[in-house]
Amino acid sequence: MAKYILKRVLMMIPVLLGVMLVVFIMVHISPGEPARILAGDNASEEAVAALEEELGLNEPLHIQFFNYVKGIVTEFDLGTSYHTKRPVIDELMDRFPTTATLAVLCMVLSAVLGITLGIISAVKQNTIIDHLSTGFALFGISMPAFWAGMMLILVFSIYLKWLPVSGIEGWTSWILPTITSSMAGMATIVRMTRSSMLEVICQDYIVTARAKGLSEKVIIVKHALKNALIPIITVLGIQLGVMLGGAVLTESVFSINGMGKYMVDSIKNRDYPVVQGGVLLLALTFSVVNLLVDILYAYVDPRIKSQYSRSKKHLS
């Protein structure tokens, strides 16, 4: 297992380098000059050129990319924000807890409701409950997050005045953003849980368990769900990464001072270091989540754990 984890960690390096290269090229070829935006429209060409030299933007792109990667590898320096003049890592770390909290809340809500509805839908296949559950899943996965957020604000904040419109000022401020971000993820989990459970409950060992007189609750939870968890865990891991990235829309709609909204503002301001650092941090988080999901497989499915053990004996 230790060798497998080390191998996966080493595999993250080319992935992160690829992410850095793609984002670096995209932000530098996009229209707009950071130096011109910072200096102002009335600034002279000499002032703009001096600012470009100060920011290192007058050097060739390959030199800029090399210096950027070198700073990350040697000092874990993501650069300095063009606008706030603060280190990018400090700016992101000030906002990352808010984004991570929103993603975790969405993940919990999506997992609890999604798995529950998926199980019920599979057990009650082709009933009205199954049709309502699959209809809800189709509705949730088809609805854009920005539209759902605005509709929730319109109903619960403006008409009913039950919940805050924007910002994070208390626990009630998390309700609407969490619901907005979790809808698509919840729908995906419902569909995957239903599909995985339908494959399992038709197996011979489930029929045998029923013949032994075990209660339906024990059969579903202890036998069927446990053996259907592998694809569900995969989807949960992917959805957590999607929710971290999806916070860009949700935070913008609800004016939450998180990393997503900050990156959107930085794109508008052509603040290259912030955009590059934010995408790199999200990519690193997503890679770590995928690694944890792969490790979790071994504890959920004994067959995978035995494969690790056989590989270890073979290598020894």
Side-chain angles (χ1 to χ4, degrees), residues 11-21 280 283-284 287:
M11 288 174 61
M12 290 183 190
I13 296 175
V15 172
L16 296 178
L17 282 174
V19 169
M20 284 190 286
L21 178 61
L280 179 60
L284 177 61
S287 299

Side-chain angles (χ1 to χ4, degrees), residues 1-5 7 302-316:
M1 179 67 77
K3 291 183 179 180
Y4 173 76
I5 295 174
K7 181 181 177 181
R303 294 171 295 182
I304 297 177
K305 190 173 184 179
S306 65
Q307 289 177 4
Y308 290 137
S309 301
R310 287 198 301 268
S311 299
K312 184 176 180 181
K313 291 178 181 179
H314 179 72
L315 292 173
S316 60

Side-chain angles (χ1 to χ4, degrees), residues 1-196:
M1 179 67 77
K3 291 183 179 180
Y4 173 76
I5 295 174
L6 178 61
K7 181 181 177 181
R8 286 298 307 271
V9 171
L10 292 177
M11 288 174 61
M12 290 183 190
I13 296 175
V15 172
L16 296 178
L17 282 174
V19 169
M20 284 190 286
L21 178 61
V22 171
V23 175
F24 185 87
I25 293 174
M26 290 182 65
V27 297
H28 280 79
I29 65 174
S30 60
E33 301 178 5
R36 173 63 66 182
I37 295 174
L38 290 172
D41 295 333
N42 298 324
S44 63
E45 293 298 327
E46 292 78 8
V48 174
L51 189 54
E52 285 183 345
E53 184 176 359
E54 178 185 346
L55 299 175
L57 296 174
N58 60 333
E59 298 179 345
L61 282 181
H62 67 278
I63 299 298
Q64 294 184 46
F65 181 71
F66 175 79
N67 293 333
Y68 179 68
V69 175
K70 180 182 176 182
I72 295 176
V73 173
T74 58
E75 303 175 6
F76 198 65
D77 181 15
L78 298 179
T80 303
S81 172
Y82 294 162
H83 287 265
T84 64
K85 306 301 180 184
R86 292 185 63 204
V88 171
I89 188 65
D90 294 340
E91 293 280 3
L92 294 177
M93 286 298 102
D94 288 344
R95 296 166 173 81
F96 184 74
T98 301
T99 301
T101 301
L102 178 60
V104 171
L105 289 174
C106 295
M107 190 73 261
V108 172
L109 180 62
S110 299
V112 172
L113 293 182
I115 293 176
T116 302
L117 289 176
I119 293 173
I120 295 173
S121 181
V123 173
K124 304 291 185 180
Q125 185 182 12
N126 296 326
T127 64
I128 184 64
I129 298 176
D130 182 24
H131 296 324
L132 289 174
S133 178
T134 52
F136 165 77
L138 181 62
F139 177 75
I141 206 169
S142 304
M143 185 166 46
F146 66 88
W147 182 84
M150 289 188 288
M151 292 301 101
L152 290 174
I153 290 174
L154 186 65
V155 174
F156 294 100
S157 300
I158 297 178
Y159 289 161
L160 300 178
K161 301 186 184 301
W162 288 354
L163 299 170
V165 175
S166 61
I168 299 295
E169 299 178 356
W171 68 269
T172 56
S173 302
W174 293 100
I175 296 177
L176 293 185
T178 300
I179 295 174
T180 300
S181 290
S182 62
M183 282 186 175
M186 189 187 309
T188 303
I189 295 171
V190 168
R191 296 173 66 186
M192 178 55 69
T193 303
R194 180 182 183 275
S195 176
S196 185

Side-chain angles (χ1 to χ4, degrees), residues 139 158 164 187 191 203 235 278 288 300:
F139 177 75
I158 297 178
R191 296 173 66 186
Q203 299 296 320
V235 171
V288 172
V300 172

